[in-house]
């Protein structure tokens, strides 16, 4: 926990200095041009974007996309496919930007929010997952978020997300209590939401038991203001729920490891689209001659994809699909049983441990070099 300042409402000098520092880059390539896109999600969008990049002779070196509440945030690292380096020419950057704007706005509705942004290589580029939280917060994906209402008192038996916010007037704090499913990087995601909303954590208590986690935060506004309204509390609760939900991966998970080539992302996503599958999340990166990644897919309606369709996709993509995972609760996890073909060509259930799990653990060491984010 952070120590309380000597005077109420004052943020310590050390903390103010820390807050001004950029997050150290991780899981990103600082040698390539970064493309950031946010807006309304739709089936086939990733395929359209990657096809446009291939048409412009841009090579995708890493890509990550999250979808939540019908919104999407995508970060793609690209290089010049002919010169093999960052895209530096202003004319080429303008061409890429114009083409992508036409793609993402092709089916837009009146008043729809879209953002397409290209950034040059930078040493101080923000951690990819941190940046995804910022993009989705700016796109207001939290608007429809609701946890359990106040009538639900059985926290011990409910696995939904609970957020309560109360005022501690004698200390000038807001006390935030969160109970939700425990998972990897839960604390990171929660603190990202608090930071995005200009709150500072002064004390915190974190614990987990079984599949559930409890978090308690004593926070103040970064500007030292202790006043708050009901609408501010409601927005804070919505944003915390959104930060927790964004990382949840819905649908079947496909782990892919194949030869790196120009247009690889375009080829894979085209196969998904042609077979009626929609991508809910993607994380892919390259290391030398190899490309490794994860795709979470559903059918076009957002329901669980049919295994026979996924098997057809696996055959079309080829042996590069290592494993297909299905989680019984609708979210894909490494501990879920996997589905693959046996020697007789039939789909079968595998043990919880798989080559895919081993591959992820080994490749995690290289994440800083090629932009892959471990699920």
């Amino acid at each position: 926990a952070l120590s309380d300042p000597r005077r109420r409402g004052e943020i310590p000098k050390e903390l103010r200095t820390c807050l001004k520092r950029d997050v150290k880059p991780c899981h990103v390539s600082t040698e390539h041009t970064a493309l950031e896109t946010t807006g309304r999600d739709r089936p086939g969008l990733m395929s359209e974007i990657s096809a446009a990049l291939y048409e412009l002779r841009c090579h995708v070196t890493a890509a990550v996309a999250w979808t939540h509440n019908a919104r999407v945030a995508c970060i793609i690292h690209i290089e010049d496919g002919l010169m093999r380096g960052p895209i530096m020419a202003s004319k080429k950057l303008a061409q890429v930007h114009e083409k992508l704007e036409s793609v993402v706005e092709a089916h837009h509705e009146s008043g729809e929010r879209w953002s397409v942004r290209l950034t040059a290589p930078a040493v101080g580029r923000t951690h990819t997952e941190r940046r995804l939280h910022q993009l989705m917060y700016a796109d207001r994906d939290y608007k429809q978020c609701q946890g359990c209402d106040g009538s639900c008192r059985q926290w011990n038996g409910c696995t939904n997300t609970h957020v309560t916010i109360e005022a501690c007037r004698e200390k000038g704090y807001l006390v935030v209590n969160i109970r939700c499913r425990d998972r990897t990087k839960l604390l990171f995601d929660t603190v990202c939401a608090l930071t995005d909303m200009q709150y500072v954590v002064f004390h915190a208590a974190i614990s987990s038991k079984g599949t559930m986690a409890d978090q308690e935060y004593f926070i103040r506004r970064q500007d030292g203001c202790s006043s708050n309204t009901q609408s501010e509390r409601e927005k804070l609760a919505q944003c915390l729920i959104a930060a927790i939900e964004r990382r949840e991966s819905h649908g079947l998970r496909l782990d892919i490891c194949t030869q790196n080539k120009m247009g690889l992302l375009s080829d894979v996503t085209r196969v998904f689209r042609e077979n009626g599958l929609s991508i809910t999340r993607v994380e892919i990166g390259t290391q030398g001659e190899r490309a490794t990644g994860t795709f979470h897919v559903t059918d076009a309606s957002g329901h669980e994809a049919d295994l026979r369709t996924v098997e057809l996709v696996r055959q079309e993509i080829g042996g590069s699909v290592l494993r297909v995972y299905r989680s019984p609760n609708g979210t894909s996890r490494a501990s879920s049983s996997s589905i693959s073909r046996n020697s007789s060509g039939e789909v079968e259930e595998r043990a919880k441990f798989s080559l895919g799990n081993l591959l992820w653990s080994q490749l995690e060491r290289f994440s800083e070099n090629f932009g892959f984010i471990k699920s």
Side-chain angles (χ1 to χ4, degrees), residues 11-72:
I11 299 177
K13 180 179 179 181
E14 301 89 341
L15 186 57
R16 290 199 303 268
T17 303
C18 180
L19 288 170
K20 292 179 181 178
R21 296 173 185 165
D22 289 332
V23 179
K24 293 295 183 181
C26 180
H27 302 302
V28 299
S29 170
T30 58
E31 300 176 358
H32 302 123
T33 305
L35 164 67
E36 298 177 351
T37 303
T38 59
R40 181 174 58 86
D41 188 29
R42 67 172 185 267
L45 178 61
M46 179 61 72
S47 176
E48 295 173 15
I49 291 176
S50 55
L53 292 172
Y54 179 61
E55 182 182 334
L56 294 169
R57 309 306 296 169
C58 295
H59 177 52
V60 176
T61 60
V64 57
W66 289 355
T67 60
H68 179 240
N69 279 348
R71 313 300 298 177
V72 60

Side-chain angles (χ1 to χ4, degrees), residues 306-317:
D306 185 270
L307 290 178
R308 289 171 294 183
T309 302
V310 175
E311 177 57 21
L312 292 175
V313 169
R314 194 198 70 83
Q315 292 177 9
E316 189 168 351
I317 295 176

Side-chain angles (χ1 to χ4, degrees), residues 179 182 207-214:
R179 181 171 176 79
D182 193 15
S207 64
S208 63
K209 183 177 181 181
T211 61
M212 302 300 291
D214 291 287

Side-chain angles (χ1 to χ4, degrees), residues 208-226:
S208 63
K209 183 177 181 181
T211 61
M212 302 300 291
D214 291 287
Q215 304 175 71
E216 184 178 51
Y217 298 94
F218 291 80
I219 63 174
R220 288 197 191 120
R221 293 292 300 270
Q222 186 175 330
D223 57 11
C225 179
S226 59

Side-chain angles (χ1 to χ4, degrees), residues 40-208:
R40 181 174 58 86
D41 188 29
R42 67 172 185 267
L45 178 61
M46 179 61 72
S47 176
E48 295 173 15
I49 291 176
S50 55
L53 292 172
Y54 179 61
E55 182 182 334
L56 294 169
R57 309 306 296 169
C58 295
H59 177 52
V60 176
T61 60
V64 57
W66 289 355
T67 60
H68 179 240
N69 279 348
R71 313 300 298 177
V72 60
C74 178
I75 300 177
I76 303 177
H77 295 274
I78 58 177
E79 65 178 6
D80 191 306
L82 300 177
M83 305 300 294
R84 289 296 182 181
I87 302 174
M88 304 300 292
S90 57
K91 183 178 180 180
K92 180 65 176 290
L93 288 173
Q95 184 183 18
V96 172
H97 188 271
E98 181 180 359
K99 178 69 174 180
L100 291 175
E101 276 197 330
S102 65
V103 168
V104 299
E105 294 181 357
H107 306 285
H108 77 285
E109 300 176 359
S110 178
E112 184 60 45
R113 304 185 307 273
W114 275 107
S115 173
V116 177
R117 181 170 174 260
L118 282 166
T119 59
V123 175
R125 190 174 287 161
T126 306
H127 183 294
T128 301
E129 294 175 330
R130 178 77 183 90
R131 185 59 183 153
L132 283 169
H133 277 298
Q134 293 174 344
L135 291 173
M136 299 211 85
Y137 172 69
D139 195 45
R140 292 178 284 179
D141 72 314
Y142 55 84
K143 282 291 187 179
Q144 299 178 4
C145 285
Q146 289 185 350
C148 283
D149 57 28
S151 62
C152 180
R153 301 296 183 184
Q154 299 178 354
W155 281 32
N156 292 331
C158 181
T159 58
N160 293 327
T161 301
H162 295 256
V163 178
T164 62
I165 304 173
E166 299 177 352
C168 180
R169 301 191 182 280
E170 60 272 18
K171 294 291 186 179
Y173 292 133
L174 282 179
V175 183
V176 179
N177 281 280
I178 305 171
R179 181 171 176 79
C180 61
R181 290 192 187 95
D182 193 15
R183 59 166 174 77
T184 303
K185 298 188 178 180
L186 177 61
L187 178 60
F188 173 86
D189 295 338
T190 306
V191 174
C192 280
L194 293 172
T195 305
D196 288 341
M197 297 191 70
Q198 304 298 309
Y199 287 100
V200 179
V201 178
F202 286 90
H203 303 280
I206 314 296
S207 64
S208 63

Side-chain angles (χ1 to χ4, degrees), residues 252 254 271-272 275 277 297 305-319 321-324 339-342 344-348:
L252 294 174
L254 285 75
V271 173
F272 289 147
N275 285 274
L277 297 180
V297 298
D306 185 270
L307 290 178
R308 289 171 294 183
T309 302
V310 175
E311 177 57 21
L312 292 175
V313 169
R314 194 198 70 83
Q315 292 177 9
E316 189 168 351
I317 295 176
V321 178
L322 295 178
R323 286 292 184 271
V324 179
I339 302 164
S340 60
R341 292 179 69 89
N342 58 22
S344 62
E346 298 177 348
V347 175
E348 64 176 3

Side-chain angles (χ1 to χ4, degrees), residues 268-285:
V268 174
T269 54
R270 174 185 53 79
V271 173
F272 289 147
R273 183 188 63 191
E274 291 176 350
N275 285 274
L277 297 180
S278 180
I279 298 172
T280 62
R281 181 171 172 175
V282 58
E283 301 163 354
I284 189 169

